[in-house]
Amino acid sequence: MCSVCGCGEGETRIEGHSHHHHHGHEPGDRQSRLVTMEQDILAANNNHAASNRLRLQQSSTLALNLVSSPGSGKTELLRRTLEALHDELLMAVVEGDQQTSNDADRIRATGTRAVQINTGKGCHLDAHMVAHALNELLAEKTDMLFIENVGNLVCPSAFDLGEARRVVILSVTEGEDKPLKYPDIFAGSDLMVLNKSDLLPHLDFDVQQCIDYARRINPRIQVLTLSAKSGEGCDEWYGWLRAARQMQALGA
Amino acid sequence: MHELSLCNAIIETLRQGAEEHGYERVKGVRLEIGPFAAVDAGALRFAFDIATTNTLAEGAWLEILSPPAIARCSVCAREVVIEQRFDPCPHCGAQALELISGDAMRIKDLEVE
């Protein structure tokens, strides 16, 4: 692992950065003894996340961690949101994918600043990667930062990035019982967005059942149903974002 | 490869510990992995052997403790050992169990020299 900044993934690529890796010691010749540690394995990530959270609060930036399976429509919802709120808010995006800068390119086409993180074989973004992206993006005033995580309903749940709110996006083509099958990510999210509502007439998806399942896993989860394609329900989503921003300004 | 990145995190902690506690090699690691922790103990064990090669913990033994998960019901206030995470309370039936312990991933202690 990099002894300069603590990163582990030799294949992680963050636009504009490179890392050097150092290696360890020679074996010694001493008596065996027990050392008590009692330390969380993810302590390093939690420390980076806490530091990110503090920076974001100090710069009055609302950060959102968007999680979902691949293909739920995260990027399209982001594009529509960026276009709709372009004149109202200064926004930026962190994109996470294993490979390509396709999503960051799509975001930049809206005139929004974006940094692409390629995780290589990695399955989730972590707080250290996000810290590097913040170095780039917080150099300019940013009211709202969207972090689009790697498409994965499992691994991102364990990694605090320092966000103010976590939003899980589920599309109506995915099946009502996803919250039961992937409980950790729904338990850890503040808002569930049910996307692709324009397709409901063609599906047997039971919206209320899905909401009930989600509330079983997380009684306090909020829910919005919308279509990033048609725009239906998106005004409520923008309202939620504005409210979250106001709450952060009050320290919540 | 998730368990491998967790092992890298463990090894980094071991390296930092070497400076703090003044040891040079790690002979053994004792972990606590709760039943609801986001990791598979078998995969972690496999990854540990690979990840520790050429490090200060090469060849170290690995013990994984897995104490039972305990939850408290926010309706009837009873504490119960639970085996499934999102089950209702076995005493009062409410969908109100909150996990008190059972999802930890901790390094408990080390044998060093």
Side-chain angles (χ1 to χ4, degrees):
Chain A
M1 196 174 274
C2 173
S3 61
V4 173
C5 62
C7 78
E9 260 60 63
E11 294 182 38
T12 306
R13 294 280 173 268
I14 302 172
E15 287 170 330
H17 289 78
S18 63
H19 290 94
H20 301 283
H21 296 262
H22 301 261
H23 289 283
H25 313 268
E26 296 301 311
D29 193 7
R30 301 205 182 172
Q31 278 267 318
S32 267
R33 59 190 167 99
L34 207 65
V35 167
T36 305
M37 282 251 147
E38 291 293 348
Q39 185 170 323
D40 194 317
I41 292 175
L42 292 179
N45 186 75
N46 292 340
N47 289 339
H48 283 301
S51 143
N52 290 348
R53 189 163 275 119
L54 189 63
R55 277 174 83 181
L56 290 159
Q57 272 164 6
Q58 285 169 343
S59 64
S60 300
T61 304
L62 179 76
L64 303 130
N65 181 5
L66 306 182
V67 296
S68 80
S69 56
S72 66
K74 288 192 294 302
T75 312
E76 186 53 28
L77 178 62
L78 253 187
R79 277 194 348 96
R80 181 178 270 275
T81 304
L82 294 168
E83 280 169 2
L85 302 180
H86 193 264
D87 295 332
E88 186 183 329
L89 295 169
L90 296 165
M91 297 175 287
V93 177
V94 178
E95 280 291 344
D97 290 291
Q98 285 190 284
Q99 298 290 356
T100 84
S101 63
N102 294 355
D103 281 351
D105 294 338
R106 289 182 179 101
I107 298 300
R108 287 182 197 120
T110 68
T112 306
R113 293 174 294 126
V115 164
Q116 177 78 53
I117 299 175
N118 286 136
T119 60
K121 297 193 175 70
C123 51
H124 58 270
L125 291 179
D126 65 31
H128 175 72
M129 297 168 189
V130 169
H132 280 291
L134 293 186
N135 291 342
E136 301 268 332
L137 295 172
L138 294 187
E140 286 179 44
K141 175 134 179 46
T142 307
D143 299 322
M144 206 169 276
L145 177 73
F146 297 94
I147 304 168
E148 191 184 330
N149 215 317
V150 176
N152 180 341
L153 276 181
V154 181
C155 310
S157 67
F159 294 87
D160 184 3
L161 303 180
E163 73 268 29
R165 298 284 188 279
R166 188 175 291 183
V167 180
V168 58
I169 297 159
L170 184 66
S171 64
V172 298
T173 51
E174 292 178 69
E176 298 89 351
D177 59 353
K178 286 294 184 290
L180 301 182
K181 292 181 179 176
Y182 297 89
D184 293 332
I185 203 137
F186 287 86
S189 294
D190 300 292
L191 173 70
M192 174 171 78
V193 168
L194 281 176
N195 192 21
K196 307 190 185 176
S197 63
D198 56 297
L199 294 178
L200 282 171
H202 307 286
L203 304 164
D204 291 332
F205 189 92
D206 183 339
V207 172
Q208 193 53 53
Q209 179 68 271
C210 181
I211 295 174
D212 290 344
Y213 285 147
R215 295 230 163 99
R216 194 191 295 184
I217 297 301
N218 181 353
R220 291 164 61 184
I221 198 166
Q222 297 173 304
V223 182
L224 288 173
T225 306
L226 53 79
S227 166
K229 181 162 193 257
S230 72
E232 169 188 60
C234 286
D235 286 341
E236 283 82 355
W237 160 241
Y238 308 145
W240 186 90
L241 289 170
R242 293 185 189 106
R245 191 162 169 253
Q246 288 190 323
M247 293 294 280
Q248 178 173 44
L250 296 172
Chain B
M1 280 293 286
H2 207 114
E3 274 70 9
L4 199 57
S5 71
L6 290 174
C7 286
N8 286 336
I10 293 170
I11 290 164
E12 183 55 25
T13 302
L14 301 183
R15 283 207 179 103
Q16 287 171 2
E19 289 171 26
E20 255 183 72
H21 298 278
Y23 56 80
E24 290 186 359
R25 292 204 59 77
V26 176
K27 310 295 287 175
V29 179
R30 192 169 287 113
L31 301 178
E32 180 187 306
I33 306 284
F36 303 133
V39 61
D40 178 79
L44 189 68
R45 201 175 269 292
F46 177 76
F48 186 78
D49 287 341
I50 297 168
T52 50
T53 311
N54 290 331
T55 71
L56 78 172
E58 178 165 2
W61 52 259
L62 180 66
E63 185 184 346
I64 301 178
L65 306 172
S66 189
I70 303 185
R72 179 185 295 118
C73 178
S74 60
V75 169
C76 72
R78 308 272 267 279
E79 283 187 14
V80 294
V81 170
I82 53 166
E83 280 168 37
Q84 286 220 94
R85 182 118 190 216
F86 297 99
D87 275 354
C89 173
H91 294 293
C92 74
Q95 194 68 47
L97 287 177
E98 287 162 7
L99 202 67
I100 303 175
S101 67
D103 62 353
M105 297 191 287
R106 302 177 66 80
I107 303 170
K108 297 285 287 182
D109 48 45
L110 312 175
E111 187 191 329
V112 302
E113 70 180 16

